[in-house]
Amino acid sequence: MLRVLAVDDEEPALEELLYLLRADPRIRRAEGATGATEALRRIGSAVEAGPDDPSAIDVVFLDIHMAGLTGLDVAQLLAGFAAPPLIVFVTAHEGFAVHAFDLKAVDYVLKPVRRERLAEAVRRVAEQVGDRSAPALDTANDQIPVELGGVIRFIPIDDIAYAEAQGDYARLHTDNGSHLVRVPLTTLEERWRSRGFVRIHRRHLVALGRIDELRLDGGSMSVRIGTAELAVSRRHARALRDLLMRQTGR
C-alpha cells in the first residue's frame, strides 16, 4: 500500500490526479501540494521522521512546469536526501523525458492523464517499493525513453544499431524502426561509450557489435549495419579500424 504526495501548482490538475490516485486500491494515502516549496517541506519532514511514521511518503507524482522551482529542480534536490521517495513525473511536455530518467524517475506520464497509464506507473512504483534493495531505476542504464503516439515507452539500448544526429535531436535506429529523441548525439556518445557505441562520423554513433562489414574503397571507408551503409570520417577511421581489429583478436 503506497503513500503518495502529488505536486502540481494548477489546482484542477492536482485534484484530478488525486482523484485518480485515490481510486487505485494499491494506494493507502494520497495527499497534494500546490508547489515545490510546500512539497520539499513535507518530504523533508517525512524523511526525517522515518519510513514507519504516519507522514511517510513512498512516491512523489511531480509536475515539471511550476512557478518558482520546477519539478526537475525538486528531483535534483531530492537526490541529495539519504532515503528520498521515488519520483514519477506527470507533465504535458514530452521533451524532458531523457532528463527525467537521468534523475532516476520511475516513470514519466503525459497529461492529460489516462487512468490506465497512471495505473501502469503505480505498478512500477509498487514493484520498487516492494524491493528496496533494487536501484531506483535499473532501466535508466539499460533503456531509453521515447515518445510514441503520446505515450512514453522504453527502448532497450541493446536493440539500437546506430544513432543519427538531427540537429539537437538524435534518431535511434533499431531492427524494428527508428525513434526520435530530444538529446544531442554528443550526449549519447558520452553515456553509451561503455556500452560499446563508437562515433564514426559527426552524424553517426554506432554499436560496435552491430557492424556487419567494414568497407574500404580507395581513400574512403564505410560500415554496413544491416541494410544501412554509413560513411566513416577520416578523423574516426583509424580508431574504428583498431577497435574492430581488437574485437576480432587480430
Side-chain angles (χ1 to χ4, degrees):
M1 297 292 288
L2 300 173
R3 297 158 297 184
V4 175
L5 178 66
V7 186
D8 197 316
D9 63 349
E10 296 182 359
E11 290 197 23
L14 178 61
E15 290 303 319
E16 174 66 15
L17 179 58
L18 286 171
Y19 172 80
L20 294 173
L21 288 168
R22 288 165 179 164
D24 192 306
R26 293 165 294 188
I27 292 177
R28 179 194 305 176
R29 185 186 75 245
E31 298 178 345
T34 56
T37 302
E38 179 188 355
L40 287 169
R41 177 182 57 77
R42 294 172 68 170
I43 294 167
S45 297
V47 169
E48 185 176 352
D52 297 324
D53 191 84
S55 67
I57 298 169
D58 297 308
V59 58
V60 181
F61 283 76
L62 186 59
D63 189 23
I64 287 183
H65 280 295
M66 296 186 290
L69 293 175
T70 69
L72 297 173
D73 294 329
V74 172
Q76 288 177 326
L77 289 169
L78 291 182
F81 285 35
L86 301 175
I87 295 173
V88 173
F89 284 103
V90 183
T91 177
H93 305 276
E94 71 271 13
F96 297 98
V98 172
H99 190 184
F101 285 100
D102 282 345
L103 293 170
K104 308 295 190 234
V106 176
D107 208 343
Y108 191 95
V109 179
L110 292 176
K111 296 178 180 179
V113 178
R114 294 182 292 111
R115 187 185 298 270
E116 60 273 20
R117 181 64 184 87
L118 189 63
E120 171 62 16
V122 172
R123 182 193 67 78
R124 293 180 180 181
V125 170
E127 284 183 354
Q128 293 199 19
V129 169
D131 184 8
R132 286 293 186 177
S133 63
L137 183 64
D138 288 335
T139 58
N141 295 322
D142 299 326
Q143 304 181 55
I144 184 169
V146 299
E147 192 272 331
L148 292 171
V151 177
I152 300 296
R153 300 191 185 279
F154 303 90
I155 302 299
I157 294 173
D158 289 342
D159 287 355
I160 298 167
Y162 66 97
E164 179 182 5
Q166 294 190 354
D168 291 333
Y169 292 72
R171 182 166 293 279
L172 310 178
H173 293 266
T174 71
D175 293 337
N176 299 316
S178 67
H179 311 278
L180 193 65
V181 294
R182 190 177 180 179
V183 55
L185 198 66
T186 51
T187 300
L188 294 181
E189 180 183 9
E190 293 173 4
R191 292 177 182 169
W192 294 353
R193 185 176 291 115
S194 63
R195 301 187 69 95
F197 282 79
V198 296
R199 193 72 171 260
I200 64 168
H201 192 276
R202 63 182 178 82
R203 290 193 58 201
H204 292 118
L205 178 71
V206 305
L208 199 63
R210 299 293 294 270
I211 295 176
D212 298 310
E213 291 180 359
L214 177 66
R215 298 179 176 179
L216 301 173
D217 184 10
S220 64
M221 179 186 292
S222 64
V223 296
R224 182 176 65 82
I225 300 178
T227 59
E229 184 171 349
L230 309 175
V232 180
S233 70
R234 293 190 179 188
R235 175 186 174 188
H236 297 95
R238 185 184 182 113
L240 176 63
R241 185 160 48 188
D242 290 346
L243 282 170
L244 289 172
M245 295 294 266
R246 286 200 296 270
Q247 187 183 51
T248 57
R250 295 179 183 177

